[in-house]
Amino acid sequence: MTSRHHKPAAVRHPDIQHLSYQPEGLYPLDLEIFRVSDLRQRVGGEALGSTYRYAFPTLIFVTQGTCIHLVDFEYVRCGPGSVLVLRPGKTHSFGDAQDWDGWMVLFRPEFLWAAAPAAQDQSLTDGLDGLPTAWELGSDSAPVIAHAIAQMHQDTQTHAASLHANALLRYQLYALLTRLRMAHEQQSAQRAPPGRALQRFKAFELLVERHFATWHQLPRYAQQLGCSEKSLVRASLEAAGVTPKAFISARVVLEAKRLLAHTTWPVARIAEGLGYSDLANFAKFFKREAGCTPTEFRSRQTAHHTHKAGEAERPAPAPARAA
């Protein structure tokens, strides 16, 4: 969703609105940067309150005001200096607040591949690895990030050939993401786990993201990583505070919730797509992890979206007359 795109449709449930990187007109670059206020003025506040699933990496940097975003069923409060990192596939809503502003940076998933050091070629997926979903920058790093994004925005307006402009923006983006990682690592240095444990967990995390729908058992991951199950458990507990089994289950449940809330697929089809040939086993697993059955979860989401849509369509009350 960019300032050059058509206005998104109103809230439509249960099918979520999928957005791919498709700038309108003759815009030739593989990265876009714009202010949230510009996007709001173009598409309207109601459209921003809808839920979207992006097929491209997105950064949101809040510069003023406070807001509450909804990211994969979790509410995230952001204030000035906050960074929101949205990986491809995540569901996101800007929420109802309209008195805040910030930058949006979005780019094609493959945009950074040409800039990745050779040592990282095999692990770099969307360029956002190593970054949390949301955190607040310190007073020393926030102005640096704001300046870097503003400079990149200015460079998107260049009249240079798109080949050169894309090259410039690619390396600027790589530098921006590196600065963000450095800032986050400095803020979390005191509670950082040992380096070896963190590296092993990151490798495990990448494997889970690729294979969670078919690999549900810990031994498969340990074998692929070339370590013992005990070593993987220890690394996961030190780096993330959860067992590998819990981490895998959480990822499967998240995808199930996405599909239940934002598609009309039958529960049996969702179960099969997540590696469960027996619907009863999937329902039992989901209830244990989510606290309700898949059907109950879908009904609650449907009721929530129906209520929001009704509020959006309800006419404003007439002003009171003076006595």
Side-chain angles (χ1 to χ4, degrees):
M1 174 176 52
T2 77
S3 58
R4 296 177 176 85
H5 284 178
H6 291 298
K7 179 177 179 180
V11 175
R12 183 168 58 89
H13 184 79
D15 293 329
I16 193 171
Q17 299 181 63
H18 291 252
L19 297 178
S20 58
Y21 187 89
Q22 294 180 334
E24 288 186 355
L26 301 178
Y27 185 76
L29 304 179
D30 294 331
L31 173 147
E32 285 194 273
I33 300 179
F34 45 85
R35 304 287 300 189
V36 173
S37 55
D38 293 336
L39 179 64
R40 185 184 297 116
Q41 183 176 3
R42 186 176 182 84
V43 306
E46 181 181 335
L48 289 188
S50 299
T51 302
Y52 300 92
R53 190 170 188 175
Y54 308 132
F56 46 83
T58 302
L59 297 174
I60 299 175
F61 177 65
V62 180
T63 56
Q64 63 184 58
T66 58
C67 48
I68 299 178
H69 296 251
L70 183 62
V71 182
D72 276 336
F73 312 101
E74 297 287 338
Y75 290 99
V76 180
R77 181 180 294 275
C78 298
S82 294
V83 179
L84 196 63
V85 178
L86 303 174
R87 292 173 173 80
K90 281 187 175 292
T91 59
H92 169 250
S93 169
F94 287 88
D96 298 326
Q98 300 188 31
D99 56 349
W100 67 279
D101 202 3
W103 288 108
M104 286 192 70
V105 181
L106 47 144
F107 52 95
R108 296 187 188 278
E110 66 274 16
F111 184 55
L112 279 175
W113 291 354
Q120 294 187 8
D121 282 347
Q122 300 300 317
S123 61
L124 188 70
T125 53
D126 54 26
L128 305 182
D129 53 302
L131 295 175
T133 298
W135 84 101
E136 185 174 335
L137 294 171
S139 57
D140 54 339
S141 55
V144 176
I145 297 301
H147 175 76
I149 296 176
Q151 180 62 58
M152 291 173 66
H153 175 255
Q154 181 177 338
D155 290 336
T156 62
Q157 313 300 315
T158 181
H159 296 294
S162 58
L163 175 66
H164 301 311
N166 270 323
L168 173 63
L169 291 167
R170 179 180 294 115
Y171 285 98
Q172 285 177 321
L173 178 60
Y174 191 78
L176 173 66
L177 294 174
T178 301
R179 288 184 183 277
L180 287 172
R181 290 190 190 92
M182 291 171 59
H184 179 253
E185 289 175 1
Q186 290 173 0
Q187 288 178 313
S188 58
Q190 293 183 349
R191 60 180 184 274
R196 188 173 182 180
L198 180 60
Q199 291 177 3
R200 178 163 289 169
F201 175 76
K202 288 300 181 183
F204 167 67
E205 187 178 25
L206 285 174
L207 278 180
V208 171
E209 190 60 33
R210 294 169 184 164
H211 302 291
F212 67 87
T214 53
W215 296 5
H216 296 169
Q217 302 303 321
L218 179 60
R220 185 74 177 270
Y221 290 96
Q223 180 182 12
Q224 187 70 22
L225 293 170
C227 67
S228 67
E229 294 178 37
K230 289 184 178 180
S231 296
L232 182 52
V233 170
R234 183 164 55 250
S236 182
L237 288 172
E238 290 181 0
V242 296
T243 66
K245 182 178 179 180
F247 188 84
I248 297 167
S249 295
R251 183 62 184 90
V252 175
V253 168
L254 172 58
E255 195 65 21
K257 286 182 175 180
R258 288 172 172 173
L259 296 172
L260 288 166
H262 304 304
T263 76
T264 56
W265 289 6
V267 177
R269 179 181 176 185
I270 294 174
E272 183 178 359
L274 293 175
Y276 286 84
S277 57
D278 188 305
L279 178 58
N281 285 339
F282 172 72
K284 183 178 179 180
F285 161 78
F286 188 90
K287 185 172 184 178
R288 184 183 72 238
E289 299 295 327
C292 62
T293 67
T295 302
E296 290 171 343
F297 179 82
R298 171 170 275 172
S299 297
R300 293 172 185 174
Q301 293 297 312
T302 301
H304 172 73
H305 283 269
T306 301
H307 176 70
K308 285 197 66 176
E311 286 187 338
E313 295 174 0
R314 188 179 303 137
R321 294 183 177 180

